[in-house]
Each structure stands twice: as C-alpha cells, then as structure tokens.
mmCIF file of all heavy atoms in Angstrom:
data_model
loop_
_atom_site.group_PDB
_atom_site.id
_atom_site.type_symbol
_atom_site.label_atom_id
_atom_site.label_comp_id
_atom_site.label_asym_id
_atom_site.label_seq_id
_atom_site.Cartn_x
_atom_site.Cartn_y
_atom_site.Cartn_z
ATOM 1 N N ILE A 1 -189.458 -73.763 -122.969
ATOM 2 C CA ILE A 1 -189.551 -74.756 -124.040
ATOM 3 C C ILE A 1 -189.499 -74.070 -125.421
ATOM 4 O O ILE A 1 -190.099 -72.999 -125.624
ATOM 5 C CB ILE A 1 -190.874 -75.546 -123.903
ATOM 6 C CG1 ILE A 1 -190.918 -76.314 -122.596
ATOM 7 C CG2 ILE A 1 -191.063 -76.470 -125.090
ATOM 8 C CD1 ILE A 1 -192.174 -77.113 -122.369
ATOM 9 N N THR A 2 -188.798 -74.657 -126.329
ATOM 10 C CA THR A 2 -188.715 -74.104 -127.689
ATOM 11 C C THR A 2 -190.051 -74.460 -128.373
ATOM 12 O O THR A 2 -190.386 -75.611 -128.555
ATOM 13 C CB THR A 2 -187.556 -74.749 -128.458
ATOM 14 O OG1 THR A 2 -186.359 -74.450 -127.779
ATOM 15 C CG2 THR A 2 -187.491 -74.148 -129.874
ATOM 16 N N ASP A 3 -190.741 -73.435 -128.788
ATOM 17 C CA ASP A 3 -192.053 -73.614 -129.450
ATOM 18 C C ASP A 3 -191.838 -74.051 -130.910
ATOM 19 O O ASP A 3 -190.729 -74.016 -131.453
ATOM 20 C CB ASP A 3 -192.835 -72.283 -129.428
ATOM 21 C CG ASP A 3 -194.314 -72.490 -129.643
ATOM 22 O OD1 ASP A 3 -194.704 -73.625 -129.834
ATOM 23 O OD2 ASP A 3 -195.035 -71.456 -129.645
ATOM 24 N N LEU A 4 -192.948 -74.476 -131.565
ATOM 25 C CA LEU A 4 -192.888 -74.790 -132.962
ATOM 26 C C LEU A 4 -192.518 -73.531 -133.768
ATOM 27 O O LEU A 4 -192.845 -72.399 -133.354
ATOM 28 C CB LEU A 4 -194.256 -75.303 -133.427
ATOM 29 C CG LEU A 4 -194.822 -76.584 -132.795
ATOM 30 C CD1 LEU A 4 -196.202 -76.808 -133.338
ATOM 31 C CD2 LEU A 4 -193.899 -77.756 -133.062
ATOM 32 N N SER A 5 -191.874 -73.733 -134.901
ATOM 33 C CA SER A 5 -191.638 -72.623 -135.797
ATOM 34 C C SER A 5 -192.957 -72.183 -136.373
ATOM 35 O O SER A 5 -193.930 -72.944 -136.335
ATOM 36 C CB SER A 5 -190.634 -72.995 -136.894
ATOM 37 O OG SER A 5 -191.298 -73.909 -137.777
ATOM 38 N N GLN A 6 -193.025 -70.999 -136.972
ATOM 39 C CA GLN A 6 -194.271 -70.554 -137.551
ATOM 40 C C GLN A 6 -194.699 -71.441 -138.685
ATOM 41 O O GLN A 6 -195.880 -71.724 -138.846
ATOM 42 C CB GLN A 6 -194.105 -69.101 -138.054
ATOM 43 C CG GLN A 6 -193.937 -68.107 -136.891
ATOM 44 C CD GLN A 6 -193.694 -66.694 -137.385
ATOM 45 O OE1 GLN A 6 -193.012 -66.475 -138.437
ATOM 46 N NE2 GLN A 6 -194.220 -65.691 -136.693
ATOM 47 N N GLY A 7 -193.755 -71.952 -139.440
ATOM 48 C CA GLY A 7 -194.102 -72.899 -140.549
ATOM 49 C C GLY A 7 -194.664 -74.219 -139.999
ATOM 50 O O GLY A 7 -195.664 -74.752 -140.523
ATOM 51 N N GLU A 8 -194.005 -74.729 -138.945
ATOM 52 C CA GLU A 8 -194.495 -75.985 -138.324
ATOM 53 C C GLU A 8 -195.861 -75.790 -137.720
ATOM 54 O O GLU A 8 -196.743 -76.672 -137.811
ATOM 55 C CB GLU A 8 -193.477 -76.438 -137.270
ATOM 56 C CG GLU A 8 -192.144 -76.916 -137.881
ATOM 57 C CD GLU A 8 -191.086 -77.018 -136.800
ATOM 58 O OE1 GLU A 8 -191.227 -76.418 -135.671
ATOM 59 O OE2 GLU A 8 -190.053 -77.654 -137.045
ATOM 60 N N TYR A 9 -196.058 -74.655 -137.095
ATOM 61 C CA TYR A 9 -197.374 -74.306 -136.493
ATOM 62 C C TYR A 9 -198.479 -74.338 -137.516
ATOM 63 O O TYR A 9 -199.505 -74.971 -137.353
ATOM 64 C CB TYR A 9 -197.185 -72.922 -135.919
ATOM 65 C CG TYR A 9 -198.331 -72.343 -135.110
ATOM 66 C CD1 TYR A 9 -198.331 -72.420 -133.721
ATOM 67 C CD2 TYR A 9 -199.361 -71.668 -135.680
ATOM 68 C CE1 TYR A 9 -199.342 -71.909 -132.947
ATOM 69 C CE2 TYR A 9 -200.410 -71.108 -134.985
ATOM 70 C CZ TYR A 9 -200.355 -71.242 -133.579
ATOM 71 O OH TYR A 9 -201.393 -70.687 -132.805
ATOM 72 N N ASP A 10 -198.231 -73.681 -138.680
ATOM 73 C CA ASP A 10 -199.254 -73.649 -139.723
ATOM 74 C C ASP A 10 -199.443 -75.010 -140.390
ATOM 75 O O ASP A 10 -200.577 -75.399 -140.710
ATOM 76 C CB ASP A 10 -198.854 -72.601 -140.768
ATOM 77 C CG ASP A 10 -199.317 -71.202 -140.405
ATOM 78 O OD1 ASP A 10 -199.561 -70.970 -139.248
ATOM 79 O OD2 ASP A 10 -199.385 -70.344 -141.310
ATOM 80 N N ASP A 11 -198.408 -75.750 -140.577
ATOM 81 C CA ASP A 11 -198.504 -77.049 -141.197
ATOM 82 C C ASP A 11 -199.362 -77.991 -140.360
ATOM 83 O O ASP A 11 -200.188 -78.744 -140.859
ATOM 84 C CB ASP A 11 -197.120 -77.716 -141.383
ATOM 85 C CG ASP A 11 -196.356 -77.067 -142.552
ATOM 86 O OD1 ASP A 11 -196.979 -76.352 -143.329
ATOM 87 O OD2 ASP A 11 -195.118 -77.247 -142.584
ATOM 88 N N LEU A 12 -199.200 -77.936 -139.034
ATOM 89 C CA LEU A 12 -199.972 -78.792 -138.144
ATOM 90 C C LEU A 12 -201.429 -78.378 -138.093
ATOM 91 O O LEU A 12 -202.343 -79.218 -138.112
ATOM 92 C CB LEU A 12 -199.370 -78.763 -136.725
ATOM 93 C CG LEU A 12 -200.054 -79.643 -135.684
ATOM 94 C CD1 LEU A 12 -200.152 -81.104 -136.197
ATOM 95 C CD2 LEU A 12 -199.249 -79.678 -134.374
ATOM 96 N N LEU A 13 -201.671 -77.055 -138.061
ATOM 97 C CA LEU A 13 -203.063 -76.570 -138.082
ATOM 98 C C LEU A 13 -203.790 -77.034 -139.386
ATOM 99 O O LEU A 13 -204.944 -77.413 -139.357
ATOM 100 C CB LEU A 13 -203.073 -75.035 -137.963
ATOM 101 C CG LEU A 13 -202.830 -74.482 -136.583
ATOM 102 C CD1 LEU A 13 -202.795 -72.967 -136.620
ATOM 103 C CD2 LEU A 13 -203.828 -74.939 -135.540
ATOM 104 N N LYS A 14 -203.067 -76.920 -140.457
ATOM 105 C CA LYS A 14 -203.655 -77.339 -141.745
ATOM 106 C C LYS A 14 -203.995 -78.816 -141.713
ATOM 107 O O LYS A 14 -205.071 -79.234 -142.192
ATOM 108 C CB LYS A 14 -202.652 -77.034 -142.903
ATOM 109 C CG LYS A 14 -203.226 -77.285 -144.301
ATOM 110 C CD LYS A 14 -202.221 -76.812 -145.338
ATOM 111 C CE LYS A 14 -202.809 -76.898 -146.747
ATOM 112 N NZ LYS A 14 -203.081 -78.272 -147.179
ATOM 113 N N TYR A 15 -203.106 -79.606 -141.204
ATOM 114 C CA TYR A 15 -203.338 -81.064 -141.098
ATOM 115 C C TYR A 15 -204.560 -81.362 -140.251
ATOM 116 O O TYR A 15 -205.391 -82.191 -140.612
ATOM 117 C CB TYR A 15 -202.102 -81.776 -140.503
ATOM 118 C CG TYR A 15 -202.323 -83.254 -140.281
ATOM 119 C CD1 TYR A 15 -202.159 -84.126 -141.313
ATOM 120 C CD2 TYR A 15 -202.724 -83.736 -139.031
ATOM 121 C CE1 TYR A 15 -202.395 -85.505 -141.129
ATOM 122 C CE2 TYR A 15 -202.951 -85.102 -138.821
ATOM 123 C CZ TYR A 15 -202.795 -85.977 -139.881
ATOM 124 O OH TYR A 15 -203.023 -87.302 -139.683
ATOM 125 N N LEU A 16 -204.671 -80.662 -139.102
ATOM 126 C CA LEU A 16 -205.807 -80.891 -138.241
ATOM 127 C C LEU A 16 -207.144 -80.501 -138.932
ATOM 128 O O LEU A 16 -208.166 -81.169 -138.764
ATOM 129 C CB LEU A 16 -205.662 -80.109 -136.943
ATOM 130 C CG LEU A 16 -204.475 -80.513 -136.037
ATOM 131 C CD1 LEU A 16 -204.356 -79.589 -134.840
ATOM 132 C CD2 LEU A 16 -204.580 -81.979 -135.595
ATOM 133 N N ALA A 17 -207.098 -79.364 -139.671
ATOM 134 C CA ALA A 17 -208.301 -78.932 -140.351
ATOM 135 C C ALA A 17 -208.701 -79.972 -141.466
ATOM 136 O O ALA A 17 -209.900 -80.213 -141.633
ATOM 137 C CB ALA A 17 -208.090 -77.574 -140.992
ATOM 138 N N GLU A 18 -207.731 -80.529 -142.114
ATOM 139 C CA GLU A 18 -208.021 -81.453 -143.204
ATOM 140 C C GLU A 18 -208.560 -82.799 -142.699
ATOM 141 O O GLU A 18 -209.174 -83.533 -143.426
ATOM 142 C CB GLU A 18 -206.760 -81.696 -144.005
ATOM 143 C CG GLU A 18 -206.308 -80.486 -144.806
ATOM 144 C CD GLU A 18 -204.946 -80.723 -145.453
ATOM 145 O OE1 GLU A 18 -204.233 -81.659 -145.038
ATOM 146 O OE2 GLU A 18 -204.582 -79.919 -146.365
ATOM 147 N N ASN A 19 -208.235 -83.118 -141.427
ATOM 148 C CA ASN A 19 -208.561 -84.439 -140.916
ATOM 149 C C ASN A 19 -209.677 -84.454 -139.801
ATOM 150 O O ASN A 19 -209.823 -85.449 -139.101
ATOM 151 C CB ASN A 19 -207.284 -85.099 -140.326
ATOM 152 C CG ASN A 19 -206.369 -85.548 -141.434
ATOM 153 O OD1 ASN A 19 -206.488 -86.648 -141.980
ATOM 154 N ND2 ASN A 19 -205.410 -84.690 -141.808
ATOM 155 N N GLN A 20 -210.406 -83.375 -139.729
ATOM 156 C CA GLN A 20 -211.433 -83.290 -138.662
ATOM 157 C C GLN A 20 -212.448 -84.430 -138.758
ATOM 158 O O GLN A 20 -212.917 -84.908 -137.719
ATOM 159 C CB GLN A 20 -212.157 -81.966 -138.741
ATOM 160 C CG GLN A 20 -211.382 -80.831 -138.179
ATOM 161 C CD GLN A 20 -212.256 -79.584 -138.150
ATOM 162 O OE1 GLN A 20 -212.929 -79.273 -137.153
ATOM 163 N NE2 GLN A 20 -212.235 -78.836 -139.269
ATOM 164 N N SER A 21 -212.869 -84.799 -139.948
ATOM 165 C CA SER A 21 -213.969 -85.740 -140.079
ATOM 166 C C SER A 21 -213.512 -87.117 -140.588
ATOM 167 O O SER A 21 -214.281 -87.883 -141.093
ATOM 168 C CB SER A 21 -215.001 -85.170 -141.068
ATOM 169 O OG SER A 21 -214.403 -84.906 -142.335
ATOM 170 N N ASN A 22 -212.209 -87.437 -140.382
ATOM 171 C CA ASN A 22 -211.692 -88.687 -140.896
ATOM 172 C C ASN A 22 -211.517 -89.767 -139.806
ATOM 173 O O ASN A 22 -210.924 -90.794 -140.084
ATOM 174 C CB ASN A 22 -210.302 -88.421 -141.541
ATOM 175 C CG ASN A 22 -210.439 -87.578 -142.771
ATOM 176 O OD1 ASN A 22 -211.490 -87.463 -143.370
ATOM 177 N ND2 ASN A 22 -209.298 -86.986 -143.182
ATOM 178 N N ASN A 23 -212.101 -89.529 -138.668
ATOM 179 C CA ASN A 23 -211.897 -90.480 -137.563
ATOM 180 C C ASN A 23 -213.231 -90.801 -136.858
ATOM 181 O O ASN A 23 -213.365 -90.723 -135.649
ATOM 182 C CB ASN A 23 -210.896 -89.929 -136.556
ATOM 183 C CG ASN A 23 -209.491 -89.891 -137.110
ATOM 184 O OD1 ASN A 23 -208.747 -90.860 -136.995
ATOM 185 N ND2 ASN A 23 -209.122 -88.746 -137.718
ATOM 186 N N GLY A 24 -214.230 -91.195 -137.668
ATOM 187 C CA GLY A 24 -215.497 -91.585 -137.120
ATOM 188 C C GLY A 24 -216.202 -90.456 -136.367
ATOM 189 O O GLY A 24 -216.241 -89.312 -136.916
ATOM 190 N N ASN A 25 -216.643 -90.697 -135.167
ATOM 191 C CA ASN A 25 -217.339 -89.676 -134.390
ATOM 192 C C ASN A 25 -216.404 -88.872 -133.520
ATOM 193 O O ASN A 25 -216.864 -87.978 -132.800
ATOM 194 C CB ASN A 25 -218.396 -90.364 -133.504
ATOM 195 C CG ASN A 25 -219.511 -90.989 -134.292
ATOM 196 O OD1 ASN A 25 -219.907 -90.452 -135.320
ATOM 197 N ND2 ASN A 25 -220.000 -92.133 -133.849
ATOM 198 N N MET A 26 -215.111 -89.124 -133.599
ATOM 199 C CA MET A 26 -214.181 -88.385 -132.764
ATOM 200 C C MET A 26 -213.874 -87.033 -133.398
ATOM 201 O O MET A 26 -213.486 -86.930 -134.559
ATOM 202 C CB MET A 26 -212.851 -89.145 -132.594
ATOM 203 C CG MET A 26 -211.886 -88.501 -131.576
ATOM 204 S SD MET A 26 -210.320 -89.378 -131.432
ATOM 205 C CE MET A 26 -209.475 -88.799 -132.918
ATOM 206 N N MET A 27 -214.047 -85.957 -132.637
ATOM 207 C CA MET A 27 -213.730 -84.626 -133.100
ATOM 208 C C MET A 27 -212.236 -84.323 -132.944
ATOM 209 O O MET A 27 -211.618 -84.845 -131.995
ATOM 210 C CB MET A 27 -214.526 -83.604 -132.291
ATOM 211 C CG MET A 27 -216.020 -83.748 -132.356
ATOM 212 S SD MET A 27 -216.693 -83.473 -133.990
ATOM 213 C CE MET A 27 -216.421 -81.686 -134.161
ATOM 214 N N ILE A 28 -211.688 -83.602 -133.857
ATOM 215 C CA ILE A 28 -210.287 -83.181 -133.773
ATOM 216 C C ILE A 28 -210.231 -81.662 -133.711
ATOM 217 O O ILE A 28 -210.798 -80.975 -134.618
ATOM 218 C CB ILE A 28 -209.487 -83.676 -135.008
ATOM 219 C CG1 ILE A 28 -209.508 -85.228 -135.039
ATOM 220 C CG2 ILE A 28 -208.035 -83.164 -134.942
ATOM 221 C CD1 ILE A 28 -208.876 -85.797 -136.250
ATOM 222 N N ARG A 29 -209.603 -81.130 -132.694
ATOM 223 C CA ARG A 29 -209.621 -79.679 -132.495
ATOM 224 C C ARG A 29 -208.241 -79.143 -132.081
ATOM 225 O O ARG A 29 -207.478 -79.890 -131.424
ATOM 226 C CB ARG A 29 -210.645 -79.314 -131.438
ATOM 227 C CG ARG A 29 -212.109 -79.432 -131.915
ATOM 228 C CD ARG A 29 -212.406 -78.346 -132.898
ATOM 229 N NE ARG A 29 -213.749 -78.443 -133.414
ATOM 230 C CZ ARG A 29 -214.088 -79.041 -134.558
ATOM 231 N NH1 ARG A 29 -213.154 -79.623 -135.256
ATOM 232 N NH2 ARG A 29 -215.359 -79.047 -134.966
ATOM 233 N N ALA A 30 -208.006 -77.917 -132.462
ATOM 234 C CA ALA A 30 -206.784 -77.199 -132.014
ATOM 235 C C ALA A 30 -207.188 -76.264 -130.904
ATOM 236 O O ALA A 30 -208.184 -75.553 -131.024
ATOM 237 C CB ALA A 30 -206.182 -76.439 -133.181
ATOM 238 N N ARG A 31 -206.457 -76.241 -129.840
ATOM 239 C CA ARG A 31 -206.716 -75.361 -128.707
ATOM 240 C C ARG A 31 -205.591 -74.347 -128.530
ATOM 241 O O ARG A 31 -204.426 -74.659 -128.797
ATOM 242 C CB ARG A 31 -206.880 -76.150 -127.380
ATOM 243 C CG ARG A 31 -208.013 -77.209 -127.476
ATOM 244 C CD ARG A 31 -209.332 -76.575 -127.751
ATOM 245 N NE ARG A 31 -210.466 -77.470 -127.648
ATOM 246 C CZ ARG A 31 -211.628 -77.257 -128.219
ATOM 247 N NH1 ARG A 31 -211.857 -76.183 -128.903
ATOM 248 N NH2 ARG A 31 -212.592 -78.165 -128.078
ATOM 249 N N CYS A 32 -205.940 -73.169 -128.102
ATOM 250 C CA CYS A 32 -204.967 -72.093 -127.901
ATOM 251 C C CYS A 32 -204.305 -71.746 -129.200
ATOM 252 O O CYS A 32 -203.097 -71.406 -129.318
ATOM 253 C CB CYS A 32 -203.900 -72.415 -126.851
ATOM 254 S SG CYS A 32 -204.651 -72.951 -125.291
ATOM 255 N N ALA A 33 -205.067 -71.906 -130.291
ATOM 256 C CA ALA A 33 -204.567 -71.582 -131.674
ATOM 257 C C ALA A 33 -205.772 -71.052 -132.468
ATOM 258 O O ALA A 33 -206.365 -71.737 -133.274
ATOM 259 C CB ALA A 33 -204.048 -72.868 -132.301
ATOM 260 N N PRO A 34 -206.120 -69.776 -132.213
ATOM 261 C CA PRO A 34 -207.309 -69.202 -132.904
ATOM 262 C C PRO A 34 -207.188 -69.243 -134.438
ATOM 263 O O PRO A 34 -208.212 -69.163 -135.143
ATOM 264 C CB PRO A 34 -207.365 -67.771 -132.394
ATOM 265 C CG PRO A 34 -206.000 -67.504 -131.803
ATOM 266 C CD PRO A 34 -205.503 -68.849 -131.323
ATOM 267 N N HIS A 35 -205.958 -69.320 -134.936
ATOM 268 C CA HIS A 35 -205.760 -69.348 -136.399
ATOM 269 C C HIS A 35 -206.381 -70.581 -137.015
ATOM 270 O O HIS A 35 -206.593 -70.647 -138.234
ATOM 271 C CB HIS A 35 -204.254 -69.343 -136.685
ATOM 272 C CG HIS A 35 -203.460 -68.462 -135.817
ATOM 273 N ND1 HIS A 35 -202.966 -68.921 -134.619
ATOM 274 C CD2 HIS A 35 -203.098 -67.156 -135.882
ATOM 275 C CE1 HIS A 35 -202.306 -67.944 -134.029
ATOM 276 N NE2 HIS A 35 -202.392 -66.873 -134.762
ATOM 277 N N PHE A 36 -206.752 -71.553 -136.193
ATOM 278 C CA PHE A 36 -207.382 -72.770 -136.664
ATOM 279 C C PHE A 36 -208.701 -72.424 -137.426
ATOM 280 O O PHE A 36 -209.072 -73.101 -138.381
ATOM 281 C CB PHE A 36 -207.702 -73.699 -135.484
ATOM 282 C CG PHE A 36 -208.246 -75.046 -135.841
ATOM 283 C CD1 PHE A 36 -207.510 -75.887 -136.704
ATOM 284 C CD2 PHE A 36 -209.423 -75.509 -135.354
ATOM 285 C CE1 PHE A 36 -207.967 -77.098 -137.063
ATOM 286 C CE2 PHE A 36 -209.881 -76.764 -135.662
ATOM 287 C CZ PHE A 36 -209.168 -77.588 -136.543
ATOM 288 N N ALA A 37 -209.385 -71.352 -136.964
ATOM 289 C CA ALA A 37 -210.627 -70.946 -137.667
ATOM 290 C C ALA A 37 -210.384 -70.634 -139.138
ATOM 291 O O ALA A 37 -211.210 -70.975 -139.980
ATOM 292 C CB ALA A 37 -211.234 -69.726 -136.945
ATOM 293 N N ARG A 38 -209.251 -69.993 -139.410
ATOM 294 C CA ARG A 38 -208.897 -69.689 -140.795
ATOM 295 C C ARG A 38 -208.683 -70.964 -141.628
ATOM 296 O O ARG A 38 -209.191 -71.086 -142.757
ATOM 297 C CB ARG A 38 -207.654 -68.815 -140.852
ATOM 298 C CG ARG A 38 -207.066 -68.646 -142.239
ATOM 299 C CD ARG A 38 -206.035 -67.550 -142.294
ATOM 300 N NE ARG A 38 -204.957 -67.728 -141.296
ATOM 301 C CZ ARG A 38 -203.878 -68.462 -141.537
ATOM 302 N NH1 ARG A 38 -203.674 -69.096 -142.712
ATOM 303 N NH2 ARG A 38 -202.923 -68.512 -140.600
ATOM 304 N N PHE A 39 -207.976 -71.913 -141.065
ATOM 305 C CA PHE A 39 -207.715 -73.166 -141.800
ATOM 306 C C PHE A 39 -208.991 -73.949 -142.032
ATOM 307 O O PHE A 39 -209.179 -74.567 -143.107
ATOM 308 C CB PHE A 39 -206.688 -73.990 -141.051
ATOM 309 C CG PHE A 39 -205.273 -73.472 -141.186
ATOM 310 C CD1 PHE A 39 -204.781 -72.605 -140.209
ATOM 311 C CD2 PHE A 39 -204.473 -73.804 -142.252
ATOM 312 C CE1 PHE A 39 -203.467 -72.095 -140.325
ATOM 313 C CE2 PHE A 39 -203.197 -73.307 -142.389
ATOM 314 C CZ PHE A 39 -202.704 -72.479 -141.402
ATOM 315 N N VAL A 40 -209.880 -73.969 -141.044
ATOM 316 C CA VAL A 40 -211.153 -74.688 -141.213
ATOM 317 C C VAL A 40 -211.975 -74.014 -142.306
ATOM 318 O O VAL A 40 -212.560 -74.702 -143.172
ATOM 319 C CB VAL A 40 -211.983 -74.705 -139.892
ATOM 320 C CG1 VAL A 40 -213.368 -75.184 -140.113
ATOM 321 C CG2 VAL A 40 -211.265 -75.566 -138.887
ATOM 322 N N HIS A 41 -212.010 -72.684 -142.304
ATOM 323 C CA HIS A 41 -212.770 -71.975 -143.338
ATOM 324 C C HIS A 41 -212.148 -72.179 -144.735
ATOM 325 O O HIS A 41 -212.853 -72.337 -145.735
ATOM 326 C CB HIS A 41 -212.820 -70.502 -143.030
ATOM 327 C CG HIS A 41 -213.671 -69.709 -143.987
ATOM 328 N ND1 HIS A 41 -213.154 -68.982 -145.015
ATOM 329 C CD2 HIS A 41 -215.034 -69.550 -144.048
ATOM 330 C CE1 HIS A 41 -214.131 -68.424 -145.706
ATOM 331 N NE2 HIS A 41 -215.273 -68.759 -145.129
ATOM 332 N N GLN A 42 -210.830 -72.205 -144.792
ATOM 333 C CA GLN A 42 -210.153 -72.393 -146.088
ATOM 334 C C GLN A 42 -210.361 -73.853 -146.598
ATOM 335 O O GLN A 42 -210.454 -74.062 -147.782
ATOM 336 C CB GLN A 42 -208.658 -72.108 -145.965
ATOM 337 C CG GLN A 42 -208.371 -70.611 -145.751
ATOM 338 C CD GLN A 42 -206.898 -70.383 -145.457
ATOM 339 O OE1 GLN A 42 -206.190 -71.228 -145.005
ATOM 340 N NE2 GLN A 42 -206.460 -69.129 -145.655
#
C-alpha cells in the first residue's frame, strides 16, 4: 500500500492534535505515530 506522504502524515497529526477536545467525551488519538506527542505538546 502507498503510505501517506510525509507532509500528509504531519498535516493529519496536527489536525488530530488540534481536535482532541472538540467532540464531547470522545477521545481522539493517533496510533503507531509517536510523533503525535510532539504535536500535542506544540
């Protein structure tokens, strides 16, 4: 399978970090993407 490009990968992680608390009690998380920690901290 063709994976996401590095730019697409980062754009999606950034979106997930920005929207973690915008859906009531539902948590939003990235899995198999440790870089998510950086986006959450930023």
Side-chain angles (χ1 to χ4, degrees):
I1 298 179
T2 302
D3 199 0
L4 299 177
S5 70
Q6 291 177 326
E8 292 166 341
Y9 186 95
D10 275 19
D11 286 345
L12 182 51
L13 286 176
K14 186 174 187 296
Y15 175 83
L16 296 176
E18 292 172 345
N19 286 274
Q20 283 187 91
S21 58
N22 295 339
N23 289 272
N25 294 324
M26 187 183 78
M27 302 293 292
I28 299 175
R29 287 290 179 263
R31 300 302 187 199
C32 307
H35 322 87
F36 187 56
R38 168 168 56 86
F39 285 93
V40 170
H41 184 262
Q42 290 172 340

